[in-house]
Amino acid sequence: MGENIILDISRLCVEFDTEAGRVRAVDGVGFQLKKGKTLGIAGESGCGKTITALSIIRLLPRPVSRIVQGRVLFQGRDLLALSKQEMQQIRGRKIAMIFQEPMTALNPVHSIAKQMVEIHQIHFPGLSRTKMADASVELLEKAGISDPGIVMKKYPHQLSGGMRQRVMIAMALACRPDILIADEPTTALDVTVQAEILDLIQTLKEESGMSVVLITHDLGVIAENCDDVAVMYAGKIVESAGVHDLFQYPRHPYTKGLLASIPSRAPRPKTMLPTISGQVPSLTDMPEGCRFQSRCPLCADICKSIDPDERIMGQNHGVRCHMADEQGR
Amino acid sequence: MDIVRVDQLKKYFPVTSGVFLRRTGHIHALDGVSFSVKKGETLGIVGESGCGKTTLGRCITGLTEPTAGEIRIKGKSFFGTHGVPRKESASTLQMIFQDPFESLDPRQTVRQILEEKYIIHGRDGKHLDQEIHALIEKVGLLPDALAKFPHEFSGGQRQRIGIARAISLDPEIIVCDEPVSALDVSVQSKILNLLLALQQEMGLTYIMISHDLSVVRHISDRIGVMYSGKMVELGEAGDIYENARHPYTRALLSAIPIPDPRGRKNRILLKGEVPSAEHPPVGCRFNTRCGYVQALCFEQEPLLQGSQENPDHWIACHVFNSGG
Ligand SMILES: Nc1ncnc2c1ncn2[C@@H]1O[C@H](COP(=O)(O)OP(=O)(O)OP(=O)(O)O)[C@@H](O)[C@H]1O
Ligand SMILES: Nc1ncnc2c1ncn2[C@@H]1O[C@H](COP(=O)(O)OP(=O)(O)OP(=O)(O)O)[C@@H](O)[C@H]1O
Ligand SMILES: [Mg+2]
Ligand SMILES: [Mg+2]
């Protein structure tokens, strides 16, 4: 099994300096990304999805945050032990990332052509200008842009949200990365455009054999696009499994609660939806024991004192819960 | 009884350019939209970004002046030559916004925010304090919230404040513009439950605008689908979901991600870009992206008509509603 794992993360911890002191935004996160597969990271706002992704490519906001522990093995090398220069060779070239709002990643004052060529200059300095331009047009075409010549001449603000995301994808794919990390790539888009972009990522993945980490809070997007899923809650992965196993036999009370509260999973329209009581505890005020205790219908004494370790149940199905049973639901 | 009737509603925004702000054209945000809403029902409005959903909601609540057409609320015309002054409708009609943070004054406490409406409408009698307490309880917040400022609340709690403000004068109709779009699912379900409970308790009529079709499906009795300033399909929620006719509605439905990996399905991917609101296509506005176009679709605009089999299911399409 070890061979087909391209990214192996373990015990990752990230700390932030805040006014209220030092907080741990990511606490002991670990997962494995299989070659050619898509791993989904799900979870609600603030649970640490983006920070986890930024840790992988070592782009955490400085100086307020840092990785304090952990290992990020990419093709057998620990990325956290690399020098800045070595990391630059990996970032963009081997591991590329796209973001929710492409506007923040695109340069507003440069044309798409200029930005596309720039990417080639960084990574393939030997190429001639015309070769770079040709390659850019080809990439845009691949990203589903039907008139790349016209789009090349435009500036980011002249493009629709969907087109901007396609340009971002084209840029991310310029170096044929082994891994694409997509952080909420479609959250700002209409469902019809979302479907096109996800379809594009899926097609490109199948063509090139790259692996994808897809971050989203939308469990529908996870169900339709991922092979494996990790569910995060308050800085920890509370459950991880194959996508079918997770949706059919969710074991963690948080995952169960999340799934039950989705309107389209309700038995009948206009009926009350199941809810998860309470709120996520603040990072500055994390309880001892399990972080989900105050909202958990199964909470027992042990949950209030001991933080549950991950237990493997069934088919490689990891759960951090004292009360989860073997049977699932 | 129809509590709201909208007839041939149009809203054009001027497009200006140059230093003299010369008017060079118009954005057709709403281009002849007609429908009615029955008392106590929820009409869901869906459609992609820019199709005119918010403009429609703002016209109905009187925040935006329509260019043409008529809006009747409880039989009274609120626009057009015989229009009744807007103030009269203010206590009947309220609006809830996507981001309550933007619509709540950051310098006011929750108590001040909630009292404002009572004061404006001269209803700040001696029971005001009692009313405010009842209000805050109704939306599931604790009384100590009254002394706090908006930034001290989470997104879901802020939306509760927005809802409390909207229901403060016992309105009959609430236009909800993307009320849960900014919220996580576990918070979203609580707000949807609150809206459902308030509807039952107060007999409210909702116009529920959202781009999330599963939210709209859950909460609506009927659904209207908009495309480029037009209503293209309108019917019972179940009919729209199980029996959609318009090619745009079908594409929209097929694009919803289903939270069940066993349900992975074939999508209808739309080719082409959303038409420009300044220069909408001649004929059917969907003709640039539709997989079923015929010659007629480039010549004539299809009218929204009841279908032959089901007169309560309205479709604006030459191809899929040939009998009219
Ligand atoms: N610059 C920062 N300073 C202090 N804390 C931060 C900073 N950036 C993030 N955090 C904290 O780290 C935690 C994880 O943030 P992260 O951005 O990873 O969340 P997320 O899961 O991506 O959420 P979302 O779905 O909203 O994007 C949050 O609680 C957040 O408050
Ligand atoms: N005040 C305004 N001035 C000029 N154009 C406007 C104004 N308000 C809206 N528009 C335009 O009218 C059209 C409809 O906008 P509207 O906000 O109603 O769409 P929407 O369906 O609510 O979209 P979204 O889902 O993004 O909220 C758009 O083309 C928009 O740019
Ligand atoms: Mg994030
Ligand atoms: Mg809107």
Side-chain angles (χ1 to χ4, degrees), chain A residues 270-325:
Chain A
K270 297 213 92 164
T271 53
M272 292 291 157
L273 296 165
T275 57
I276 304 174
S277 70
Q279 284 179 45
V280 187
S282 140
L283 285 181
T284 52
D285 192 23
M286 275 299 159
E288 228 171 277
C290 174
R291 297 184 164 190
F292 190 59
Q293 58 180 275
S294 64
R295 311 177 73 186
C296 184
L298 305 177
C299 181
D301 280 343
I302 182 174
C303 309
K304 293 179 189 159
S305 52
I306 298 172
D307 190 15
D309 276 332
E310 182 180 54
R311 290 189 291 155
I312 303 294
M313 299 175 159
Q315 272 199 340
N316 240 332
H317 191 137
V319 192
R320 270 180 193 269
C321 173
H322 294 299
M323 309 308 287
D325 58 13

Side-chain angles (χ1 to χ4, degrees), chain B residues 105-158:
Chain B
D105 184 343
R107 290 156 306 178
Q108 288 191 318
T109 63
V110 172
R111 176 187 294 277
Q112 286 167 327
I113 288 170
L114 295 180
E115 278 176 354
E116 200 173 25
K117 281 223 159 111
Y118 290 91
I119 295 168
I120 291 173
H121 289 268
R123 285 174 46 176
D124 49 337
K126 59 174 187 285
H127 298 303
L128 182 59
D129 194 56
Q130 228 171 306
E131 288 202 46
I132 299 275
H133 271 90
L135 198 56
I136 205 84
E137 198 175 309
K138 223 176 197 170
V139 298
L141 291 173
L142 297 171
D144 67 3
L146 289 172
K148 294 188 186 165
F149 292 90
H151 72 262
E152 296 178 70
F153 294 92
S154 68
Q157 288 171 325
R158 286 203 291 261

Side-chain angles (χ1 to χ4, degrees), chain A residues 44-45 160 190 192 194-196 199 220 223-224 226 247 258 261 265 268 270-273 275-276 278-279, chain B residues 48-49 157 184-186 189-190 193 199 217-219 221 255 257-261 264 267 269-270 273:
Chain A
E44 298 186 289
S45 192
S160 69
D190 275 318
T192 50
Q194 164 169 289
E196 292 167 27
D199 189 67
E224 295 202 341
C226 298
F247 279 83
L258 268 191
S261 56
R265 286 176 72 107
R268 273 189 323 119
K270 297 213 92 164
T271 53
M272 292 291 157
L273 296 165
T275 57
I276 304 174
Q279 284 179 45
Chain B
E48 62 199 339
S49 186
Q157 288 171 325
D184 273 320
V185 304
S186 73
S189 58
K190 291 178 191 168
N193 285 352
Q199 180 168 47
R217 167 73 173 119
H218 186 71
I219 201 158
D221 301 295
I258 305 294
D260 183 348
R264 290 187 195 192
R267 289 199 193 300
L269 287 182
L270 289 177
E273 284 280 285

Side-chain angles (χ1 to χ4, degrees), chain B residues 75-301:
Chain B
K76 276 188 202 163
S77 177
F78 277 92
F79 182 71
T81 38
H82 309 292
V84 175
R86 260 296 169 185
K87 193 154 189 256
E88 203 175 301
S89 71
S91 52
T92 315
L93 260 158
Q94 288 294 329
M95 191 152 174
I96 299 172
F97 301 89
Q98 167 166 359
D99 187 355
F101 205 55
E102 272 173 26
S103 60
L104 300 174
D105 184 343
R107 290 156 306 178
Q108 288 191 318
T109 63
V110 172
R111 176 187 294 277
Q112 286 167 327
I113 288 170
L114 295 180
E115 278 176 354
E116 200 173 25
K117 281 223 159 111
Y118 290 91
I119 295 168
I120 291 173
H121 289 268
R123 285 174 46 176
D124 49 337
K126 59 174 187 285
H127 298 303
L128 182 59
D129 194 56
Q130 228 171 306
E131 288 202 46
I132 299 275
H133 271 90
L135 198 56
I136 205 84
E137 198 175 309
K138 223 176 197 170
V139 298
L141 291 173
L142 297 171
D144 67 3
L146 289 172
K148 294 188 186 165
F149 292 90
H151 72 262
E152 296 178 70
F153 294 92
S154 68
Q157 288 171 325
R158 286 203 291 261
Q159 196 53 284
R160 284 176 198 270
I161 299 167
I163 293 172
R165 188 175 55 170
I167 62 169
S168 60
L169 296 175
D170 282 324
E172 294 176 61
I173 307 154
I174 300 184
V175 176
C176 311
D177 190 6
E178 310 269 6
V180 295
S181 301
L183 307 174
D184 273 320
V185 304
S186 73
V187 186
Q188 170 183 298
S189 58
K190 291 178 191 168
I191 298 296
L192 292 177
N193 285 352
L194 174 63
L195 289 172
L196 283 168
L198 290 173
Q199 180 168 47
Q200 277 180 3
E201 202 180 311
M202 305 171 64
L204 292 168
T205 305
Y206 288 141
I207 295 177
M208 173 65 69
I209 296 168
S210 177
H211 65 266
D212 185 333
L213 284 96
S214 55
V215 165
V216 166
R217 167 73 173 119
H218 186 71
I219 201 158
S220 306
D221 301 295
R222 284 191 309 140
I223 293 175
V225 182
M226 287 182 66
Y227 187 79
S228 183
K230 295 261 174 196
M231 189 77 88
V232 297
E233 189 157 3
L234 176 67
E236 297 282 333
D239 262 342
I240 296 288
Y241 268 72
E242 273 104 58
N243 210 0
R245 301 279 296 275
H246 197 286
Y248 174 65
T249 311
R250 285 190 275 163
L252 197 60
L253 289 171
S254 85
I256 312 174
I258 305 294
D260 183 348
R262 293 168 301 179
R264 290 187 195 192
K265 58 188 173 177
N266 291 327
R267 289 199 193 300
I268 308 166
L269 287 182
L270 289 177
K271 292 275 168 268
E273 284 280 285
V274 185
S276 126
E278 201 182 335
H279 305 288
V282 178
C284 174
R285 300 201 171 182
F286 192 52
N287 66 21
T288 54
R289 297 164 87 191
C290 182
Y292 304 90
V293 275
Q294 299 177 355
L296 186 59
C297 309
F298 293 99
E299 290 158 17
Q300 222 177 68
E301 194 162 306

Side-chain angles (χ1 to χ4, degrees), chain A residues 54-80:
Chain A
L54 292 177
S55 307
I56 299 171
I57 53 171
R58 288 178 44 193
L59 279 184
L60 284 174
R62 287 185 176 273
V64 293
S65 62
R66 70 203 65 83
I67 296 169
V68 291
Q69 191 192 309
R71 207 183 53 178
V72 177
L73 285 185
F74 167 65
Q75 295 176 333
R77 287 160 90 194
D78 186 358
L79 297 185
L80 303 185

Side-chain angles (χ1 to χ4, degrees), chain A residues 16-18 25 43-52 61 64 184 283:
Chain A
F16 272 91
D17 297 323
T18 69
E44 298 186 289
S45 192
C47 69
K49 305 182 294 294
T50 297
I51 297 301
T52 300
V64 293
E184 308 265 8
L283 285 181

Side-chain angles (χ1 to χ4, degrees), chain A residues 49 75 93 130-131 140 158 215 249 261 273 279 326:
Chain A
K49 305 182 294 294
Q75 295 176 333
R93 220 172 228 227
T130 34
K131 280 255 168 65
L140 290 174
Q158 296 174 308
I215 296 174
Y249 308 109
S261 56
L273 296 165
Q279 284 179 45
E326 278 296 330

